[in-house]
Structures are given as structure tokens and as C-alpha cells.
Amino acid sequence: MSQVTPLGGYLLVAALVFSIGLAGALTRRNAILVLIGIELMLNAANLNLIAFWRYGSHPEALTGMMFAIFSIAVAAAEAAVGLGLVIQIYRHAKTTDLDQMNRMKG
Amino acid sequence: MSFVFYVLATLTVAGALAAVLLKNTVHCALALTVAFAGLALLFLNLDAQFAGFAQILVYIGAVAILVVFAILLTRGSDTPTDGVFSRTWLAGLAVAAAVFAVLGWAVIQTANLLPKSAPAPTVTVQQIGQALVGRYVLPLEIVAVLLTAAMIGAVIIAMHEKNGAPK
């Protein structure tokens, strides 16, 4: 790890968190845990944006920072709608187990 | 690569792993909060104070609470007896490992092209605010409309009762 630059270290951490979130979203059965995995993936992308902003050539232009801030806002909206959908599905099907949600007809 | 970075990176990755691997869903939500806090501290370590505190406010203050509410409303805290992982967990794990392998390979291969160090940017919150109402005012307004629509949509979706009698 001695030759890894600070930016490379942040990118590796972001890649690791993204992969953990992807593994969670793909392997868990509870719909809420899948949403948690998606949130982890979004956060890893934000870490990439902030790291590139910090070590980029024009941090005063604020592009990476603005991208991350808008990404946080959109992720909050996504979480609210996603959890609302999970609650409604639970009312309808009495389960949040994705393996049992195998039909689209209401 | 400072000592602080290693501590924060370990905290974040451990929180993320626990959030994905733990059996009890409430414990997963609490581990997720640890991962969010670690990411916020990494943001602060990257001299992005505004993004770091926005991360704490939005994720730890709002999203984690929403997740806990959803878990309790759906009785997701009951650990299922037949395992918490999907039948196709091996394929999911393989896909995630492949994605990490490609990302890590790309980072390691381009290590020499990445900038070694950069002077700490001196960006004040005033500059961020002026950029938000100046150059980025259109995205800001669109995000405002999006958040309003998402909140109204979430409330309408969640309050509709199946027996046709909305509250």
C-alpha cells in the first residue's frame, strides 16, 4: 500500500463500499436491506466525487462538490419513495421477502 | 496516507459489511448509520466540510431514521427462520466480487497517473451558497421540485389503504 496515493486510497475505499452495497442489494431477501445496499452504493459514488474534487485541478470551481450535494438530495428523495413503496407492498402482500414477490398482478 | 484515513476507512468498511451481513434488520440499520458516519468523516477529512455535515444531516438524521421506521412498520425485525440471503446469493456475490475486481484493478493500474497531492482547497460555505444561487440555480430549483414531488408521492403511496378507504 506504500505506493498508493491518497486519492487512490479513497477510490479503493469507495470501490469496496460500492461492491459491499452491490453484494447486499443482490443477495439479501428483505426489500429494506436491498434499499440499504443501494444507499451504500450511492454513498460510495459520492465519496468518489468528493475525492476527485479534492485532488482535482480546479477545486474552486466546485463541480464535484455540487454534484455530490445534488446527489445527496436526490438519494434522500429516492429513499423516501422506496421505503413508502416497501410499506405499501408489505400491506398488500404481508411480506417484505423479495423471493416471495414473484407476480406483478395486484 | 495518514493514520486517520486508515481508521476512518476501516470504520466505514466495517459498518458497510455489518449492514449487509447482520441477521437482525434493526442491527443492519444501526450498522448502516455507522457506515454513513464514517463516510461523513471521510468527507471532512477531504476538506469538504459542507458535504460532510450535509451527509450527517441527511443520511444519519433522515434516511437512517426512515429506514428504522420502515423496518418497524413492516415487522422486518423478525429474523426469518429460513435464512436472510436469497437463493441466488452465490451469483450476486460473484457479480459484486467481479465489480470490485475491475474497479480495484483500474485504480491500481492508474495509480501513477493520479495526482500525488494537492493543496487543501479553501472553499467557504459562502462560496458554496453563492454558487448554488448563481451558476447552479437551475439544478437547485429542479431538486426543490423533485423533493416536493417525491415527498408528496411517498405520502400518497404509503397512506393508501387496500380496502379502498384512504385515511
Side-chain angles (χ1 to χ4, degrees):
Chain A
M1 289 292 280
S2 58
Q3 76 276 28
V4 174
T5 56
L7 176 56
Y10 283 105
L11 296 185
L12 279 179
V13 170
L16 199 51
V17 174
F18 183 89
S19 306
I20 292 170
L22 182 63
L26 289 178
T27 59
R28 291 300 292 240
R29 283 168 59 188
N30 192 324
I32 295 171
L33 267 298
V34 173
L35 278 176
I36 284 179
I38 292 171
E39 291 294 329
L40 280 176
M41 288 156 73
L42 283 165
N43 269 285
N46 280 347
L47 181 59
N48 264 354
L49 294 171
I50 297 280
F52 276 118
W53 166 78
R54 168 68 176 77
Y55 290 101
S57 48
H58 294 290
E60 71 279 357
L62 285 171
T63 42
M65 175 82 104
M66 285 299 159
F67 208 143
I69 289 170
F70 285 118
S71 163
I72 288 174
V74 173
E78 171 261 334
V81 174
L83 292 171
L85 282 172
V86 169
I87 290 173
Q88 185 61 21
I89 289 172
Y90 175 77
R91 280 203 194 128
H92 188 77
K94 298 291 173 229
T95 180
T96 54
D97 188 342
L98 292 174
D99 281 358
Q100 292 176 24
M101 293 177 201
N102 47 15
R103 61 199 179 100
M104 294 186 77
K105 195 162 179 291
Chain B
M1 300 296 277
S2 64
F3 175 70
V4 177
F5 169 77
Y6 285 116
V7 172
L8 294 180
T10 311
L11 178 77
T12 307
V13 173
L17 271 177
V20 167
L21 291 177
L22 286 179
K23 282 194 164 52
N24 189 317
T25 320
V26 177
H27 294 172
C28 291
L30 297 179
L32 180 74
T33 312
V34 173
F36 285 161
L39 280 160
L41 292 172
L42 281 175
F43 287 178
L44 294 181
N45 203 24
L46 281 166
D47 301 304
Q49 284 88 3
F50 185 76
F53 288 117
Q55 167 92 1
I56 291 176
L57 276 175
V58 173
Y59 278 102
I60 301 175
V63 172
I65 303 296
L66 260 180
V67 168
V68 172
F69 264 110
I71 289 170
L72 296 180
L73 282 174
T74 58
R75 285 197 207 127
S77 53
D78 306 337
T79 308
T81 51
D82 51 346
V84 294
F85 292 105
S86 159
R87 283 189 299 271
T88 56
W89 65 274
L90 198 59
L93 198 63
V95 169
V99 167
F100 177 68
V102 170
L103 289 176
W105 174 79
V107 172
I108 297 288
Q109 287 297 307
T110 56
N112 292 327
L113 304 174
L114 297 176
K116 293 282 181 293
S117 64
T122 55
V123 172
T124 61
V125 177
Q126 185 183 7
Q127 281 172 281
I128 296 172
Q130 280 171 346
L132 273 177
V133 294
R135 189 176 166 200
Y136 297 99
V137 68
L138 190 60
L140 183 74
E141 296 297 327
I142 292 173
V143 160
V145 173
L146 174 77
L147 276 175
T148 312
M151 292 307 143
I152 295 172
V155 168
I156 288 176
I157 288 171
M159 82 177 187
H160 176 70
E161 293 287 344
K162 186 167 176 288
N163 55 20
K167 284 176 204 167

